[in-house]
Each structure stands twice: as C-alpha cells, then as structure tokens.
Amino acid sequence: GFYFMEEYLEIVNEDDRLIGLGKRSFIHKLGCLHRAVHIFVFDFQGRLYLQKRSKNKDEHPLKWTSSASGHVDPKETYEKAAYRELKEELGLELPLKKVFKIKACKETEGEHVVLYQTQTGFEPFPNRAEIEEGRFFELAEIVNLIKEKEDIFTPSFVYIFRLFQEKCVK
C-alpha cells in the first residue's frame, strides 16, 4: 500500500526555544507548540490569493486559508520554510517580506507563526495534491465572508488575517 513517512517537527516552548522533536500527529494530538509559516500573496490590484485546502487534508479539509502555509522543518529557518512552501504549493519564487510573528496560542493551534507577504503579476500554479482551488480575493470580500460564514476558513487564517488588517491595512 501507500507508505506515508510521517514528518518530524521541532517542539518548542512559549519563547520559541527548541525543546525536542516529535511526530506531527503526536504534536497535534498533545497540543505541543511548534513552528509554522503563512504567506500572503497579493496581485498588483491589492487582491489576496487564497487557497482552498485539499479534501484529503487531515486538518481543515476544503477550508480556505492563506495563499501558502506550512510547518517549519527541523533545522530550517522560518524564512527558508516560507520560500519552500511558496514554491511547493504555488510554484512561485518571489522575494518575501516578513510582516510579523505571532506567539503560539489557541487561535494558531499551538503554532508560532511568522507571516510573510509578496506580490506577483503571475497567476499562481496550485499544487493539486494539496490544494482544491485558489483565486485572488478583494480584501473587502474576505472581510464580508468572515462576517457571514467564518467556518469556510481555517481558524488560524481568520486570526492572522484580522491581525494583518489591524496592523497593516491603513
């Protein structure tokens, strides 16, 4: 049958210091803190690309989320992880700018998250193994969708998007 090698992730403390290594399922089951990146990809009209997670995902299948996101691998920096996820998920290689870091909390499901942003004139090329579909949204459209049907989004996206709106959208 299909053999799935389960990934190991670094377990960190509240200050994002390394305290161990664990299997991904174990980390999620026990709620151990770990690291992730989210990337917001904008077009030149200021719209934000969102992806709808594959129906095969074990967490939040078919929910809309950030343009790209993923766990930071052992020994990897947040920045390296962000470039890797952007290429793996959307086939894009673009310069990234760090926006902010969020301490692990229940809204991020125990992930310390660094958000990056970039801009492109190209249509992303979503990896069909991970992503059902994707498209650019006006920010106002996302705000309204969150108001009307928040549960079509992943909880962490809603939290990160709200923080982004507060801190970065003037």
Side-chain angles (χ1 to χ4, degrees):
F2 179 65
Y3 182 64
F4 178 65
M5 214 7 242
E6 197 181 354
E7 58 183 331
Y8 275 82
L9 301 172
E10 291 175 340
I11 299 170
V12 295
N13 66 11
E14 301 227 316
D15 299 319
D16 199 7
R17 290 200 204 292
L18 183 62
I19 54 177
L21 211 57
K23 283 189 172 164
R24 185 194 141 139
S25 58
F26 164 91
I27 286 174
H28 283 175
K29 212 187 294 127
L30 293 184
C32 304
L33 305 185
H34 55 295
R35 296 172 172 149
V37 290
H38 281 245
I39 302 105
F40 281 5
V41 177
F42 292 92
D43 67 9
F44 290 108
Q45 287 78 59
R47 297 179 306 168
L48 175 58
Y49 189 87
L50 297 184
Q51 62 156 279
K52 188 189 240 189
R53 292 168 61 84
S54 160
K55 61 180 176 304
N56 306 319
K57 289 275 189 187
D58 54 344
E59 298 186 308
H60 309 298
L62 299 177
K63 302 255 174 169
W64 289 92
T65 191
S66 302
S67 316
S69 61
H71 289 127
V72 177
D73 287 340
K75 299 222 183 326
E76 192 176 38
T77 61
Y78 282 100
E79 190 177 348
K80 274 219 170 70
Y83 281 106
R84 177 178 54 74
E85 290 292 348
L86 186 62
K87 187 155 170 37
E88 281 176 11
E89 295 195 350
L90 301 179
L92 298 174
E93 292 181 74
L94 297 163
L96 293 173
K97 181 173 136 247
K98 181 178 169 178
V99 184
F100 52 63
K101 182 172 182 182
I102 304 168
K103 267 180 94 74
C105 55
K106 75 170 197 321
E107 287 81 5
T108 63
E109 300 178 69
E111 293 175 344
H112 288 285
V113 174
V114 178
L115 175 67
Y116 292 88
Q117 72 175 58
T118 189
Q119 212 175 16
T120 184
F122 298 103
E123 195 54 45
F125 191 75
N127 176 344
R128 294 288 168 215
E130 305 219 15
I131 301 168
E132 288 294 312
E133 59 174 304
R135 71 174 177 88
F136 285 101
F137 288 78
E138 300 284 346
L139 295 188
E141 185 184 357
I142 299 172
V143 170
N144 286 333
L145 283 168
I146 289 174
K147 255 196 214 99
E148 285 158 24
K149 30 185 194 259
E150 188 176 317
D151 62 355
I152 68 168
F153 299 98
T154 66
S156 57
F157 170 73
V158 171
Y159 183 68
I160 293 164
F161 181 76
R162 285 191 173 132
L163 283 178
F164 180 83
Q165 290 279 97
E166 270 165 42
K167 292 183 201 275
C168 308
V169 179
K170 295 291 163 265

